[in-house]
Amino acid sequence: MASSYTEYFQLNQWAAEAEGKADRAQLTELSARVERAEQAAEENRTALEAAEQAWRDQTSLHLLKTATLSTGGDSFQFSLAGVDWPLWRLVHLVIEPKVKDQQGVSLYLEGGKQLLSLVGYGKTHIVLYPWHSGDWPFQGWAVSGGWSHFEDPRYFSSATGLTLTKSFPDYPLLAGCKITMYGEK
C-alpha cells in the first residue's frame, strides 16, 4: 500500500524504507491516472491552440496582395480587382514610394480622381473603409495618424485600381516602389 501521494495528481508514493512489492492494483490505477492526466492536458493544449487561432483570424492583418515596380517610370498601377471588400472591416494599404531626391508622389483612383499627395520618400499607411452595401468598394480613407476623408460612395464606383504617379516632371518613380494591401477583420 502507498505511504503517501503526489501533490497535484495524487499518484502513489512509497517510503524508501517500505518493504515488499508494490500492489499491482495500485500500479494499474497509477497508470490510468497518468493516462487521464496526459489526455486532459493534450485536450487543453488543442483547445487553447484553436482559441488562439480563432483570435488571430479575427484580429490580425491578412495579406491580400502586393506589387513592386520593377523598372522606373512615370506611374505605377495597383489593381483592386479580386478583393472581396465586404469580408473586411478595414483594408490597409502600405505604400513605399521610391523617387529621386525625396520628391513626392500622388495617388489616384483609376479614372483620374486624385485621392491624395504623398510627400517625401517614406512609407505611408492608408486605411480604406469598405462599403458593405451597394456596388462600391469603399467609402473613404484615412492616412494613418492623420485625417480621414469620406465621400459619397459613388465617387469610388469605378475604383478598380490605384495609380501612383510622380509629382514632379523631372523626378520619375524608381524601381522598387511597393504597395501592399492587407485586410483586417
Side-chain angles (χ1 to χ4, degrees), residues 40-97:
E42 182 59 32
E43 289 171 2
N44 286 340
R45 275 190 296 275
T46 301
L48 179 60
E49 288 170 2
E52 287 175 348
Q53 185 61 47
W55 179 82
R56 277 194 299 275
D57 289 346
Q58 285 182 335
T59 59
S60 66
L61 297 178
H62 301 266
L63 177 65
L64 300 180
K65 56 175 56 185
T66 188
T68 303
L69 185 63
S70 59
T71 60
D74 293 341
S75 64
F76 174 34
Q77 264 74 44
F78 184 79
S79 174
L80 298 177
V83 176
D84 193 355
W85 294 92
L87 285 179
W88 308 106
R89 184 174 65 85
L90 298 172
V91 173
H92 300 263
L93 286 174
V94 177
I95 301 173
E96 301 174 62

Side-chain angles (χ1 to χ4, degrees), residues 74-135:
D74 293 341
S75 64
F76 174 34
Q77 264 74 44
F78 184 79
S79 174
L80 298 177
V83 176
D84 193 355
W85 294 92
L87 285 179
W88 308 106
R89 184 174 65 85
L90 298 172
V91 173
H92 300 263
L93 286 174
V94 177
I95 301 173
E96 301 174 62
K98 298 219 183 283
V99 290
K100 185 177 178 182
D101 295 331
Q102 299 190 16
Q103 298 300 316
V105 295
S106 295
L107 185 64
Y108 290 87
L109 292 172
E110 289 294 322
K113 297 176 185 169
Q114 184 174 6
L115 279 179
L116 59 127
S117 290
L118 308 172
V119 178
Y121 191 71
K123 243 184 230 186
T124 300
H125 177 193
I126 299 170
V127 179
L128 301 176
Y129 300 98
W131 184 255
H132 296 289
S133 62
D135 298 326

Side-chain angles (χ1 to χ4, degrees), residues 1-75:
M1 188 121 211
S3 59
S4 63
Y5 300 92
T6 61
E7 180 181 355
Y8 298 107
F9 295 108
Q10 300 303 305
L11 302 176
N12 295 325
Q13 290 185 321
W14 288 269
E17 63 277 351
E19 291 187 24
K21 294 181 180 178
D23 182 354
R24 286 185 182 185
Q26 287 181 338
L27 290 175
T28 300
E29 175 60 26
L30 170 65
S31 295
R33 284 183 185 180
V34 169
E35 177 79 12
R36 287 189 302 268
E38 284 295 321
Q39 181 61 33
E42 182 59 32
E43 289 171 2
N44 286 340
R45 275 190 296 275
T46 301
L48 179 60
E49 288 170 2
E52 287 175 348
Q53 185 61 47
W55 179 82
R56 277 194 299 275
D57 289 346
Q58 285 182 335
T59 59
S60 66
L61 297 178
H62 301 266
L63 177 65
L64 300 180
K65 56 175 56 185
T66 188
T68 303
L69 185 63
S70 59
T71 60
D74 293 341
S75 64

